Amino acid sequence: MKRYVIIGNGVAAAGCIEGIRAVDADGSITVISAEQYPVYCRPLISYYLEQKTDLQRMHYRGESFYAEHHADVLYGRSAVEIHADAKEIVLDNGDVYPYDELCCCTGSAPFVPPMQGLDTVENKFSFMTIDDTLALEKAVTPESRVLIIGAGLIGLKCAEGLHGRVKNITVCDLAPRVLSSILDDKCAAMMQKHLEANGISFLLGTSAKEFQGNKAVMQNGAAVDFDVLVLAVGVRANTAIIKAAGGAVERGVLVDDACRTSLEAVYAAGDCTQYHDISSDTIKVMALMPNAYMQGHTAGVNMAGGTALFDNAIPMNSIGFFGLHCHTAGSQPEGCEMYEESDETHIKRLFVKDGRLTGFMLIGKTHRTGIYTALIRNQTPLSTVNFERLKIEPQLAAMGSAYRGKVLKGAV
Amino acid sequence: MKRIYVKEEWCLGCHLCEYNCAFANSGMTDMVKALRGKTIYPRIQVETDENGITYAVSCRHCTDPVCVKSCIAGALSVQNGVIEIDHSKCVGCLTCVLVCPYGAVIEDGSGVAQKCELCMKNSCGTPACVKGCPNGAIVYEERQTVSAPD
Ligand SMILES: Cc1cc2nc3c(=O)[nH]c(=O)nc-3n(C[C@H](O)[C@H](O)[C@H](O)COP(=O)(O)OP(=O)(O)OC[C@H]3O[C@@H](n4cnc5c(N)ncnc54)[C@H](O)[C@@H]3O)c2cc1C
Ligand code: SF4
Ligand code: SF4
C-alpha cells in the first residue's frame, strides 16, 4: 500500500487527491494544511465581501470529500522540511511523516515590497485567505476610506468586494494601467473607465513611497489619507521547502508536463510551480485556479502509477467587474498580427502568429469564447478552419465538418 | 451513458429546440407566458455553416470535462456522467464559458452561467429539445467515440 503525502490543502491538493483516487483506491493519503479550513475557493473571497456567497458555499467540495477519498487532513500544521533521500517530511511540531510519493501544493503568498513607515499603519491587510478576508471585513465601516496598493486582479477584486461597504476606495499601482499583466493599454483603459464609473478612484504610474500612520505619500508627491490599507502588489510562489531540499527552483518550482520536480518521487502542482506555456513556448509561473486543479490531478494520477500529462497549459483569465466581463487567454508573441473589432461597449483583439491563434483579449462580449481558447490550446492551424467567420463570432460551424462530426455525432 | 446527438441532414434550422429548451427551464407551465416578448437564453444553439447546413449544439457531457476542472467555485460537477451546475454556488465568473471548447455554457442574461443538464433537473423527464424536434434531428441515445481527424 502506497503512502501519499500532500503539502498544502488548496485546489491543487484537491486535484491531487482526486487524481490519486482515480487510479489507487487503497493507498493512504495525508494532507498537511497550514490553513484551518477544508479546501475552499480562494477566488471567492471577494464575492464573500460582496455577499454573493458565504463561508459554507465557498467550500470547493462537499462535506464528505476527505472521508469519501479516504484522506486524512492535519489542520493548522505546516511542513517545514523535506528529506528527499529518506523520503520523509518534518512538520512544525517535529512530527515526521514518511512517504512513497509526495506532492508539494504550497501555493503562493503575498509579496510586500519594503515600504518606509509601513509598520506605522495599524489597519493593513493582505487579500489572499479567508482569515485575511474576515479580518478586513471586521476592520471596515461605512465610513472607511480604503487605499489598495496594486491594480492587478487581486487588488481590483478586493475593490469590487468592498464597494458599497465603505466610504471610498482608491487603488494605486506603479504600472500606468490597470490589470497590467493581462491587458494592453486600450483594453485596460476601457476597464478602468468602467471601474471609475462605478466609483473606484485610481492613482496610476505611482505608488506609495512612505506611510505616516493613516497617510500615504506617493512617489509623485500626492498624499492619500486612509483608514484601511490593503496590500495587493503581487504574489510569490512558495518554493522554499523544495529549494531547501535541493530541488530545482526558479521563480517557481520547476515541473515537467507530468508535474514531476527534479527530486525523486516529489511532484508539485499549482501556484508554487513554474511550467510550460504552449502559447508563448516559455516556462513561467501561471498562478491560476484551473491550471492548479489540472496540475494537481495530473500529479495525482502519476503518483499513483497511472499516466497523465498536462501538456497544453496556457494562461487564461475570466474576470469581471460590476457586470463587465473580460476574457483573456494565451499570449501576444513578438511579431504577431492583431485582428481588432471594437465599439463603445466591447473590444475584441485576436493575436495570430505563424498561422495559429496565440491569444486574445475580449471585453464586453464573451459569448462562447471557449471555442477561441480551444484553438490556442490545440494549436489548430488556421488554414484548416474558416478564420474569417471565426473572427466575427466563435462557432463550431467554422471549424470544418470533420471536427464537427466528431464532436456532435459521438462521445467526446 | 445517453447523450444528445444531432443528425444535421434532418435539421430544418427552425430553432424550435431553442424555444423548447428555454421553456423547459423556465419553471413555468404556460409556454406563451414563459417566452412571449422575452429574450431567451437557451442551452442549445442552432448554428449554420457556410453551406447553409444547420444543426444544434449543446453540452457534450464530456468524459473529461474541462469546465468542471476549471470552475472557480466548485459549482460544476459530474453526477453519473451528467455535467451539472449548482446554481447556488455559481458566482457568475464565466470561467466555464472561457474554457468550454464547444461554446456550450451560456450566460443566462443576469450574469449566471447555465448549461444543458439533459433535463434531469426540470420536470421534462427526457430532453425537451429531443422531444420537440419536428424532424427527429436531435436524438438522445448511447454512442461511442467517433474517430475523425482533428
Ligand atoms: C482574491 C483572489 C482572486 C482570484 N481569482 C482568480 C480567478 O478568478 N481565476 C483564477 O484562475 N485564479 C484566481 N485566483 C488565483 C487562485 O486562487 C489560485 O491560482 C489557486 O488558489 C491556486 O491553488 P493552489 O492549490 O496552488 O494554492 P493555494 O490555494 O494558495 O493553496 C496552498 C495552501 O497551502 C498552504 N501551505 C503553504 N505552505 C505550506 C506548508 N509548508 N505546509 C502546509 N501547508 C502549506 C497554504 O496555507 C495554502 O492554504 C485568485 C486569487 C485570489 C487571492
Ligand atoms: S460544458 Fe463544455 S466542457 Fe463542460 S461538459 Fe459540456 S461540452 Fe464539455
Ligand atoms: S460561472 Fe459559475 S459555473 Fe462557471 S466557472 Fe464561474 S462559478 Fe463555475
Side-chain angles (χ1 to χ4, degrees):
Chain A
M1 204 173 83
K2 267 191 180 176
R3 293 161 302 180
Y4 304 101
V5 173
I6 301 172
I7 306 177
N9 189 24
V11 162
C16 186
I17 293 171
E18 292 180 352
I20 292 169
R21 286 296 177 235
V23 178
D24 178 356
D26 301 324
S28 69
I29 301 179
T30 306
V31 182
I32 318 296
S33 176
E35 285 186 76
Q36 294 285 0
Y37 306 95
V39 54
Y40 63 91
C41 305
R42 194 169 299 288
L44 298 205
I45 57 177
S46 68
Y47 297 86
Y48 170 86
L49 289 177
E50 271 184 277
Q51 287 156 334
K52 282 192 177 165
T53 188
D54 52 45
L55 293 180
Q56 190 56 36
R57 283 183 286 161
M58 281 167 74
H59 290 309
Y60 185 60
R61 291 293 185 250
E63 252 170 62
S64 51
F65 173 68
Y66 298 103
E68 271 168 22
H69 289 80
H70 305 290
D72 293 320
V73 189
L74 302 176
Y75 288 106
R77 285 267 87 89
S78 292
V80 292
E81 265 175 56
I82 300 171
H83 299 154
D85 292 336
K87 286 194 161 185
E88 60 184 33
I89 62 162
V90 184
L91 305 192
D92 51 357
N93 62 354
D95 283 0
V96 174
Y97 278 81
Y99 63 81
D100 296 304
E101 309 283 343
L102 177 72
C103 194
C104 175
C105 303
T106 48
S108 48
F111 162 66
V112 182
M115 285 181 281
Q116 214 186 333
L118 193 56
D119 53 329
T120 66
V121 180
E122 202 182 315
N123 277 325
K124 54 176 185 278
F125 304 89
S126 294
F127 194 59
M128 284 288 285
T129 63
I130 284 185
D131 287 342
D132 291 341
T133 310
L134 296 178
L136 175 61
E137 183 180 41
K138 229 173 164 178
V140 297
T141 71
E143 291 309 311
S144 301
R145 297 158 301 170
V146 179
L147 174 64
I148 299 176
I149 314 274
L153 293 158
I154 295 177
L156 292 184
K157 269 291 171 194
C158 182
E160 184 184 47
L162 288 174
H163 182 261
R165 301 186 68 158
V166 298
K167 187 167 169 205
N168 62 46
I169 301 169
T170 305
V171 184
C172 68
D173 201 304
L174 212 44
R177 59 175 193 265
V178 302
L179 298 170
S180 61
S181 64
I182 61 166
L183 294 183
D184 59 20
D185 288 341
K186 183 169 174 179
C187 294
M190 184 174 202
M191 233 351 149
Q192 183 181 339
K193 202 171 145 203
H194 179 71
L195 286 156
E196 283 170 342
N198 281 280
I200 311 289
S201 309
F202 289 96
L203 284 169
L204 298 176
T206 186
S207 197
K209 186 178 72 179
E210 193 188 336
F211 293 95
Q212 299 157 2
N214 282 2
K215 179 196 236 158
V217 181
M218 311 304 288
Q219 286 163 341
N220 68 2
V224 182
D225 293 313
F226 62 85
D227 303 300
V228 171
L229 179 70
V230 178
L231 297 158
V233 177
V235 298
R236 288 274 161 90
N238 287 328
T239 59
I241 196 167
I242 295 284
K243 195 171 184 185
V249 167
E250 285 174 10
R251 294 180 68 182
V253 176
L254 290 172
V255 293
D256 64 12
D257 291 348
C259 295
R260 285 192 189 89
T261 69
S262 65
L263 299 169
E264 166 89 24
V266 180
Y267 294 73
D271 281 14
C272 64
T273 66
Q274 185 172 335
Y275 55 106
H276 188 214
D277 162 17
I278 63 161
S279 73
S280 62
D281 193 21
T282 55
I283 307 287
K284 59 176 162 204
V285 175
M286 292 176 269
L288 298 165
M289 184 127 158
N291 293 16
Y293 180 89
M294 290 188 254
Q295 284 189 306
H297 196 272
T298 302
V301 168
N302 291 318
M303 288 159 74
T307 314
L309 291 178
F310 180 39
D311 56 2
N312 60 359
I314 54 169
M316 54 183 182
N317 269 288
S318 171
I319 187 150
F321 300 100
F322 306 107
L324 184 63
H325 282 276
C326 157
H327 280 185
T328 64
S331 53
Q332 304 90 52
E334 218 166 287
C336 65
E337 285 168 45
M338 180 174 79
Y339 162 77
E340 177 180 287
E341 178 197 298
S342 70
D343 62 21
E344 284 287 286
T345 58
H346 89 286
I347 301 187
K348 174 190 291 189
R349 289 187 156 186
L350 305 178
F351 303 98
V352 174
K353 181 146 191 219
D354 299 331
R356 288 181 164 81
L357 186 68
T358 62
F360 60 79
M361 287 177 202
L362 302 171
I363 301 179
K365 284 189 194 165
T366 51
H367 192 52
R368 303 185 82 190
T369 48
I371 292 174
Y372 288 152
T373 307
L375 287 172
I376 305 174
R377 265 195 199 286
N378 300 336
Q379 301 188 305
T380 308
L382 296 179
S383 58
T384 63
V385 300
N386 187 336
F387 191 51
E388 291 308 312
R389 288 194 72 183
L390 280 169
K391 281 179 184 168
I392 301 165
E393 205 175 41
Q395 51 189 310
L396 296 186
M399 304 287 286
S401 56
Y403 179 78
R404 204 163 81 212
K406 183 177 150 177
V407 170
L408 300 180
K409 293 182 178 167
V412 285
Chain B
M1 94 178 222
K2 281 165 103 179
R3 291 185 173 82
I4 287 174
Y5 300 104
V6 293
K7 296 181 171 169
E8 32 181 75
E9 58 281 21
W10 292 107
C11 177
L12 306 167
C14 68
H15 294 256
L16 248 183
C17 49
E18 297 177 349
Y19 289 93
N20 283 320
C21 176
F23 175 50
N25 292 302
S26 67
M28 292 167 79
T29 49
D30 181 338
M31 188 160 190
V32 177
K33 274 200 192 126
L35 304 182
R36 187 156 67 192
K38 291 188 185 149
T39 307
I40 60 165
Y41 300 92
R43 301 152 192 216
I44 187 164
Q45 302 162 87
V46 177
E47 288 192 359
T48 310
D49 82 357
E50 53 261 276
N51 303 313
I53 297 172
T54 58
Y55 49 87
V57 182
S58 59
C59 171
R60 310 322 302 144
H61 296 277
C62 298
T63 46
D64 186 17
V66 65
C67 59
V68 175
K69 291 181 166 180
S70 301
C71 175
I72 68 158
L76 286 157
S77 65
V78 190
Q79 304 294 339
N80 301 316
V82 182
I83 313 306
E84 288 192 3
I85 178 166
D86 178 347
H87 289 280
S88 73
K89 289 188 84 179
C90 171
V91 293
C93 72
L94 305 187
T95 302
C96 48
V97 174
L98 174 67
V99 299
C100 171
Y102 314 118
V105 188
I106 308 297
E107 201 205 320
D108 78 346
S110 71
V112 177
Q114 55 175 9
K115 61 179 292 304
C116 165
E117 295 173 296
L118 299 174
C119 287
M120 298 274 183
K121 292 206 288 200
N122 59 36
S123 59
C124 271
T126 67
C129 55
V130 175
K131 206 157 54 178
C133 177
N135 221 24
I138 313 176
V139 296
Y140 183 47
E141 59 191 34
E142 301 257 358
R143 282 192 193 176
Q144 299 305 311
T145 308
V146 176
S147 42
D150 279 273

